Amino acid sequence: MTDEQLVLVAIPSLVAVLLNREQQKGSPLTEDEVVAIRDSAAYMAMPYDVAAQVAEKRGYDDIRLENAWEDWNAVRPSLGL
């Protein structure tokens, strides 16, 4: 991937949004809920190198849009869920 290619970056991160929604719900999100939240999230298109800087500033990589359900299930235990 070159620096000129644009990537979508969730603002705020999907991890943060999903964590907040799961805490509000009080139980684990379903796959349909995760996909719906992903699909309705706010995104910014930015060059790949800028997206990498955003991730570095956040201190973590966000979950991948195309694998939101799998990535969410992988990150949940590290969030104490």
Side-chain angles (χ1 to χ4, degrees), residues 25-57:
K25 181 182 176 189
S27 63
L29 296 171
T30 66
E31 182 174 3
D32 288 341
E33 289 169 327
V34 169
V35 170
I37 292 165
R38 177 204 63 195
D39 291 350
S40 65
Y43 297 95
M44 245 181 135
M46 58 185 69
Y48 181 79
D49 62 330
V50 175
Q53 291 172 6
V54 169
E56 185 176 330
K57 187 173 183 177

Side-chain angles (χ1 to χ4, degrees), residues 48-76:
Y48 181 79
D49 62 330
V50 175
Q53 291 172 6
V54 169
E56 185 176 330
K57 187 173 183 177
R58 284 180 177 161
Y60 60 91
D61 289 327
D62 201 4
I63 61 176
R64 297 167 295 167
L65 304 181
E66 64 278 4
N67 292 334
W69 175 245
E70 293 83 2
D71 287 0
W72 174 240
N73 281 293
V75 77
R76 284 182 78 250

